Amino acid sequence: MRDLYIRRMTLPVPLPRESYLNRLPVVRHLSGHGIGFRRQVTFFVGENGSGKSTLIEALAISQGFNPEGGTKNFSFSTEDSHSELCDYLRVARGVLYPRDGFFLRAESFYNVASNIDQMDREPGPGAPVISNYGGISLHRQSHGESFLALVENRFRGHGLYILDEPEAALSPAGIIRLIQNMARLVSAESQFIISTHSPMLMTFPGAEILEIRKDGIVSLPYNETEHYKTTVRFLRSPEDALEDILGDPEES
Ligand SMILES: Nc1ncnc2c1ncn2[C@@H]1O[C@H](COP(=O)(O)OP(=O)(O)OP(=O)(O)O)[C@@H](O)[C@H]1O
Ligand SMILES: [Mg+2]
């Protein structure tokens, strides 16, 4: 891929002084340094509350996606919960315009599924919307099945895919299917910007991992991220790890 669709995000003007956003590490880093994108796949990782969802939601809205998720054609709204960050964000785009795109929020995927069913209940020209998603109502599939149906049928390439914790619905085998689909889409000139807690997903070849810390953002190989190290340490010997956390069961 010669160019990325999204190259850089900055906050050229300060946010209102009283805004809670000023306390988020990710926002402080954006104001000071900006965030540059260098690879077709960028992962944001970091502790709960570090601002990953806030950041990628603001990016998605700035690119014309519905705040609740979906393609650019979705316009449903259930609750106006997005932050004001999108109004302040400046996004430097590449030369090419993506031909496909999707914004996935784990929390509101249910509403995306409802919106597709709703669109198909209204009379309209052409094939039903659900035919783009594998043909079976996403409500008649499990959370993981419907998410994989979405990625396998609806993500067509030359796209900008902004995904917030896509692993939320997936088994380890499901994550492997997601990785296979991401490889297909990366070969077809796509860019992914993903927030994740999944040490499996973040091994994706050639991805850049940006770890959000209290004092800023650092780019790391997957095996140096806190998520990966903590998971490996735990799984290498769950008994020892649990004893450290809970104490010796013999003594209680
Ligand atoms: N309206 C609000 N007022 C004050 N604080 C808020 C508001 N909305 C969100 N926050 C805070 O912003 C912080 C960042 O939230 P965000 O959802 O972006 O974190 P995250 O990195 O995606 O976390 P997780 O890994 O749990 O998904 C949280 O500490 C949250 O409590
Ligand atoms: Mg989040």
Side-chain angles (χ1 to χ4, degrees), residues 20-21 23-24 46-55 81 83 107 164-165 195 197 212:
Y20 74 92
L21 293 165
R23 291 195 297 274
L24 300 184
E47 274 315 312
N48 298 124
S50 56
K52 303 178 297 299
S53 297
T54 306
L55 178 74
S81 64
S83 79
E107 306 97 285
D164 192 3
E165 294 188 37
S195 99
H197 292 295
I212 302 169

Side-chain angles (χ1 to χ4, degrees), residues 167-192:
E167 73 274 13
L170 300 176
S171 70
I175 292 176
I176 290 167
R177 267 170 71 186
L178 173 60
I179 290 171
Q180 288 170 324
N181 275 281
M182 284 173 58
R184 164 179 70 86
L185 293 156
V186 162
S187 304
E189 315 253 304
S190 298
Q191 181 176 2
F192 285 86

Side-chain angles (χ1 to χ4, degrees), residues 68-101:
E68 304 253 359
T71 68
K72 292 188 183 181
N73 298 328
F74 284 65
S75 58
F76 69 92
S77 170
T78 48
E79 198 184 332
D80 185 26
S81 64
H82 67 272
S83 79
E84 61 194 337
L85 184 59
C86 56
D87 301 331
Y88 293 84
L89 197 62
R90 179 179 296 165
V91 180
R93 304 165 56 106
V95 183
L96 294 176
Y97 195 78
R99 286 188 235 153
D100 190 26

Side-chain angles (χ1 to χ4, degrees), residues 3-23:
D3 195 11
L4 296 173
Y5 302 120
I6 303 293
R7 288 178 176 168
R8 192 164 174 76
M9 295 191 286
T10 48
L11 272 182
V13 291
L15 291 157
R17 199 198 297 239
E18 66 285 0
S19 172
Y20 74 92
L21 293 165
N22 291 311
R23 291 195 297 274

Side-chain angles (χ1 to χ4, degrees), residues 109-122:
F109 188 51
Y110 182 91
N111 299 333
V112 169
S114 299
N115 194 235
I116 293 169
D117 288 356
Q118 175 65 34
M119 286 190 276
D120 280 339
R121 277 196 291 275
E122 290 159 10

